[in-house]
Amino acid sequence: MTEQYKVFEADLAGTDKGNPYTDIWLKAAFMNDSEIVEVNGFYCGNGNYKVRFMPTKTGVWTAVTKSNDPALNNIELTCECTPAKDGNHGRVLLKSDVRPQSSSSEEDKFHFAYEDGTRFQPFGTTCYAWINQPEEIQEQTLETLKNSCFNKVRMCIFPKFYTYNTANPKYYAFEGNEKDGFDFTRFNPIFWENLEKRIRQLDDLGIEADVILLHPYDKWGFSKMDKETDIFYLKYAADRLCHFKNVWWSLANEFDLLPWKTVEDWESYARVVMRRDSYGHLRSIHNCVKLYDHTRPWITHVSIQRIDVYKTAEAVSEWRKLYQKPIVVDECAYEGNINFGWGNITGEEMTRRFWEGCIRGGYLSHGEVYVQYEQIWWSHGGKLHGTSPERIAFLRKVMEEAPEGAAPLKITPENHEANWDVPCLCKEDDNSYFLYYFGFFKPLFRTYELPEGCAYEIELIDTWDMTIHKLPGTYSGSIKIDMPEKQYMAIRMKKV
């Protein structure tokens, strides 16, 4: 029995002669009534092969294998799929692809939903090389994530060589090591089994694995593999990992720091991943300075790094208009104390950027770089030490309480005077909800002209102290709200 959206796996025995990674192909087409899902099997060492499949609907699925190895050819497979259990919502997709067209809205294209229609709002964090750390650090990272608010993790397959990241991992994606060199035609089964184990554990915690396929921070030669080797690797990664419902594909971290790879290279890599992914997982590509053309149809959502030392989340409004896709600021700088400007903002500023971006209709990812600790979260994982994560958890709760369809307020000549200076998330169709965020401004009071014929309950939200103070009574017409002359405040209005 296989639960809906979980992984069915068949272990098969075949040849171990020559190089099965390059010489042997294995396929299967799973059928359930008129629905067909084609998958690629893969070699995992010692004459062992696997065929995986993620059933998206209940019932009996059957398949017959095809392979150029006679021992793997014409094997009948049966997957009996049982209904998804509580908490299992399937893949995360674009909300506009999940909701029926009759009930969709213009705002849906900027957001995500699980396969069963449940809303998904990413609150991500970055642990680039956590799977390349010692076993005890990997376990510690999972325990930290279990007790955090984060539901998406940006993580690399290849190890990272950069400031504070100079150690060699125990295992690599390819056979070999730094001293003796790597065999770029053979994969290391131990590495891939651990990677899959960690992705499963993230799924058990309700966390999406935003898997970064390529990146420039390298001393081992993985960033400078030729195009043929890149494609060989991408096929294998997709064949093994696409069956996990919580996988997202990030084609690269900071693609523009790999200038020897052309735009056509990236476009062809995207086509390879799409062809090998049987389920259509989310896809993105991330920048350092130069932005990729996020209008490209293969890109499902915008994964973007700050474009300015100061201005980051504020640009969500511009990016929404430009790209017409979900905006995920996956690197808005990191809370910490490193000597680089990308990694020494305060917890207050990290929290402010999260609020600013969310109210403007986007999403952000957290990161932490405190260098006095042996394990630095941004790359190693381990423990969190900053002050922003619990405030981000508070924000997540506020955002989850916002009604479906809430969107950034559209500024018009009629409302410009009262709303030009701070962002607002609202339900304009029925005037039922308004959430204003003041960031580093600290007014002593605020005046509003409330929609005619409506009465509201009003709350003052202190986003740093994480308190919500409900004002007495209800409000209508022209009102004045006294405020504490303090930064990082918000006002929430709910129609009675």
Side-chain angles (χ1 to χ4, degrees):
M1 298 286 188
T2 302
E3 184 183 341
Q4 188 180 14
Y5 308 126
K6 295 289 187 176
V7 180
F8 165 85
E9 185 171 287
D11 293 298
L12 307 176
T15 183
D16 62 354
K17 307 302 181 185
N19 184 354
Y21 291 109
T22 57
D23 301 340
I24 304 300
W25 56 266
L26 172 62
K27 298 177 180 292
F30 284 84
M31 293 179 286
N32 182 339
D33 296 329
S34 60
E35 190 167 342
I36 300 176
V37 178
E38 296 182 351
V39 301
N40 292 287
F42 55 91
Y43 184 58
C44 43
N46 298 317
N48 299 314
Y49 296 77
K50 290 183 185 291
V51 172
R52 287 181 178 154
F53 169 60
M54 182 186 69
T56 55
K57 74 174 185 177
T58 58
V60 177
W61 295 79
T62 60
V64 178
T65 63
K66 294 183 178 181
S67 177
N68 60 344
D69 178 359
L72 300 170
N73 193 46
N74 206 34
I75 299 173
E76 295 183 359
L77 304 174
T78 301
C79 168
E80 187 171 344
C81 177
T82 58
K85 297 177 182 178
D86 288 346
N88 176 2
H89 304 291
R91 295 167 296 166
V92 173
L93 302 169
L94 298 183
K95 191 174 182 181
S96 54
D97 290 340
V98 172
R99 296 188 68 180
Q101 194 168 0
S102 58
S103 61
S104 63
S105 70
E106 181 68 15
E107 185 66 13
D108 286 350
K109 65 187 175 185
F110 296 112
H111 301 289
F112 303 96
Y114 288 105
E115 203 158 353
D116 67 355
T118 303
R119 178 165 56 167
F120 178 79
Q121 301 180 75
F123 286 83
T125 189
T126 298
C127 290
Y128 284 124
W130 76 278
I131 64 159
N132 302 114
Q133 306 308 310
E135 173 84 11
E136 61 271 20
I137 302 304
Q138 295 183 46
E139 293 295 333
Q140 188 181 71
T141 302
L142 287 165
E143 186 63 25
T144 300
L145 289 169
K146 178 182 177 181
N147 297 303
S148 78
C149 68
F150 301 118
N151 59 11
K152 182 174 82 75
V153 174
R154 299 179 66 227
M155 51 188 281
C156 299
I157 291 180
F158 292 129
K160 185 170 185 175
F161 181 75
Y162 185 58
T163 305
Y164 303 105
N165 294 265
T166 57
N168 289 322
K170 187 174 182 179
Y171 301 110
Y172 300 87
F174 290 97
E175 291 283 6
N177 55 60
E178 184 182 20
K179 179 182 177 181
D180 302 322
F182 294 93
D183 184 346
F184 290 111
T185 70
R186 293 179 183 270
F187 297 99
N188 183 349
I190 298 175
F191 170 87
W192 290 90
E193 287 165 9
N194 182 67
L195 171 60
E196 292 163 350
K197 172 185 173 182
R198 300 313 183 187
I199 290 174
R200 285 191 183 96
Q201 290 172 315
L202 290 175
D203 188 39
D204 291 341
L205 297 176
I207 297 173
E208 303 295 300
D210 197 352
V211 178
I212 298 167
L213 295 167
L214 295 164
H215 70 80
Y217 299 103
D218 171 54
K219 66 170 181 174
W220 303 276
F222 305 130
S223 66
K224 292 194 173 180
M225 299 185 300
D226 60 30
K227 186 173 182 179
E228 182 179 354
T229 306
D230 280 345
I231 290 174
F232 174 65
Y233 152 72
L234 292 171
K235 287 179 178 179
Y236 191 76
D239 290 347
R240 287 195 74 133
L241 304 182
C242 75
H243 311 283
F244 298 101
K245 66 182 176 67
N246 63 322
V247 162
W248 299 24
W249 302 119
S250 177
L251 213 57
N253 187 70
E254 299 184 339
F255 83 96
D256 47 325
L257 298 190
L258 296 160
W260 49 90
K261 300 187 190 298
T262 66
V263 171
E264 179 47 43
D265 288 338
W266 294 116
E267 293 292 306
S268 64
Y269 295 166
R271 291 191 292 270
V272 167
V273 172
M274 290 177 72
R275 282 196 298 266
R276 307 296 284 211
D277 179 357
S278 304
Y279 314 98
H281 290 285
L282 295 171
R283 301 172 300 274
S284 67
I285 189 168
H286 172 269
N287 67 286
C288 181
V289 177
K290 180 183 177 182
L291 298 184
Y292 203 85
D293 178 8
H294 294 290
T295 64
R296 297 294 301 154
W298 67 266
I299 296 176
T300 57
H301 64 284
V302 177
S303 172
I304 207 162
Q305 183 170 177
R306 71 199 183 288
I307 55 170
D308 183 87
V309 174
Y310 304 102
K311 183 180 179 182
T312 298
E314 295 81 3
V316 165
S317 301
E318 301 168 26
W319 292 328
R320 276 172 50 111
K321 291 178 183 177
L322 179 61
Y323 296 119
Q324 298 292 302
K325 294 178 181 180
I327 305 299
V328 186
V329 187
D330 271 320
E331 197 169 335
C332 67
Y334 300 134
E335 178 184 351
N337 56 12
I338 203 168
N339 59 313
F340 302 119
W342 53 260
N344 54 29
I345 64 172
T346 63
E348 289 92 336
E349 178 59 11
M350 174 66 78
T351 303
R352 187 198 71 80
R353 292 183 184 195
F354 260 78
W355 271 87
E356 189 83 31
C358 286
I359 299 299
R360 291 179 181 272
Y363 303 97
L364 283 89
S365 287
H366 154 276
E368 182 180 293
V369 189
Y370 283 105
V371 299
Q372 66 267 38
Y373 302 104
E374 186 176 354
Q375 276 75 49
I376 303 175
W377 180 262
W378 131 90
S379 195
H380 306 145
K383 293 183 179 180
L384 286 164
H385 303 279
T387 56
S388 65
E390 62 179 318
R391 273 89 186 176
I392 295 169
F394 178 75
L395 167 63
R396 178 177 170 179
K397 185 174 185 297
V398 171
M399 293 301 297
E400 288 173 347
E401 291 171 350
E404 286 271 5
L409 178 68
K410 296 176 182 176
I411 304 299
T412 66
E414 291 74 25
N415 68 20
H416 178 270
E417 183 175 353
N419 298 290
W420 67 272
D421 54 342
V422 297
C424 174
L425 188 74
C426 65
K427 279 277 286 178
E428 285 188 272
D429 55 350
D430 58 5
N431 293 319
S432 62
Y433 181 90
F434 296 90
L435 178 60
Y436 293 89
Y437 178 61
F438 292 87
F440 40 67
F441 299 113
K442 52 175 194 174
L444 184 61
F445 64 90
R446 187 77 174 188
T447 60
Y448 290 99
E449 193 72 35
L450 299 179
E452 187 175 349
C454 298
Y456 293 87
E457 294 179 341
I458 296 180
E459 297 164 315
L460 286 180
I461 301 177
D462 187 321
T463 69
W464 184 252
D465 288 343
M466 298 175 287
T467 60
I468 300 176
H469 173 61
K470 185 178 180 299
L471 302 183
T474 60
Y475 295 78
S476 59
S478 299
I479 65 168
K480 176 185 175 183
I481 301 174
D482 293 324
M483 299 184 68
E485 198 176 0
K486 183 181 179 183
Q487 291 183 320
Y488 315 126
M489 297 297 296
I491 290 177
R492 182 165 62 179
M493 304 179 183
K494 303 174 185 176
K495 188 165 71 172
V496 178

